[in-house]
Amino acid sequence: MDQGLVSNPKDLQRMQHELESLERRITSLEDQELEVMERLEAAQQSHTSFTTQVSEADERLDSLTTSRDEKAAGIDAELAEILAARAPAVDGMPEELLALYDRLREQKGGVGAAPLRARECGGCRLSLDPAELTTIRGAPSNEVIRCEECQRILVRTSESGL
Ligand SMILES: [Zn+2]
């Protein structure tokens, strides 16, 4: 005893059991550690993958935003051009006629007035009957003529066939 040796067989057996129990505990903890490390690795891989996806989505969003802005700017420029080109055409036109034209244009898919060409409405392609043509022929040049079928303003030209 005085040299630190265990001489009691019962003590020795108890210590032996304790040692075995500790070894089992160590093995179990090592297994758990391995499992945790595997899960950590899997979680890190998922994280990397998600980060990549987020950054790809960000890039795509940036590119779409840029493209949308460019298109919007293009449309604005085009609209400004169209309005500038329209200005001389509507200059001096009676307010009422312009309002009628704008209303018809909205209702008729963007076409509010159509040429009367070869006795046919350029808007709905309907041939005008002779009685209607006679009426149009007799109407003053500043009178607003409308197609009976589609209601569009009919513009008389040299090709109207009147
Ligand atoms: Zn018509």
Side-chain angles (χ1 to χ4, degrees):
M1 267 312 228
D2 50 348
Q3 288 173 351
L5 297 171
V6 181
S7 51
N8 187 331
K10 274 192 174 173
D11 281 351
L12 198 61
Q13 205 177 17
R14 188 175 47 79
M15 285 178 80
Q16 191 73 33
H17 278 143
E18 227 167 90
L19 193 61
E20 280 168 16
S21 161
L22 280 170
E23 274 169 355
R24 277 198 303 273
R25 178 88 181 114
I26 286 168
T27 306
S28 159
L29 284 170
E30 279 172 350
D31 286 349
Q32 282 178 33
E33 188 188 13
L34 261 178
E35 202 184 305
V36 167
M37 279 169 72
E38 276 169 17
R39 279 163 55 192
L40 177 63
E41 201 178 324
Q44 280 169 340
Q45 276 173 3
S46 295
H47 179 255
T48 306
S49 160
F50 286 142
T51 307
T52 307
Q53 283 178 41
V54 167
S55 113
E56 279 170 2
D58 279 348
E59 273 173 38
R60 183 149 166 67
L61 182 63
D62 277 352
S63 143
L64 286 171
T65 305
T66 306
S67 161
R68 184 206 59 194
D69 290 348
E70 280 171 7
K71 279 181 186 151
I75 289 166
D76 283 348
E78 210 175 306
L79 184 63
E81 229 171 82
I82 289 165
L83 286 174
R86 184 188 191 246
V90 300
D91 194 35
M93 197 179 274
E95 201 93 347
E96 271 173 47
L97 179 58
L98 200 55
L100 172 68
Y101 168 74
D102 281 338
R103 201 171 63 238
L104 284 169
R105 197 185 49 169
E106 263 176 44
Q107 291 166 358
K108 307 287 175 186
V111 183
L116 174 61
R117 184 175 290 138
R119 303 175 183 194
E120 194 184 275
C121 166
C124 67
R125 301 282 166 211
L126 191 88
S127 286
L128 277 68
D129 63 56
E132 212 180 331
L133 286 165
T134 307
T135 311
I136 294 171
R137 214 174 281 132
S141 65
N142 63 350
E143 191 181 313
V144 178
I145 307 292
R146 312 249 318 251
C147 171
E148 284 191 351
E149 182 65 24
C150 70
Q151 304 299 310
R152 287 187 179 93
I153 297 166
L154 281 175
V155 180
R156 284 161 283 181
T157 71
S158 55
E159 295 172 347
S160 290
L162 290 172

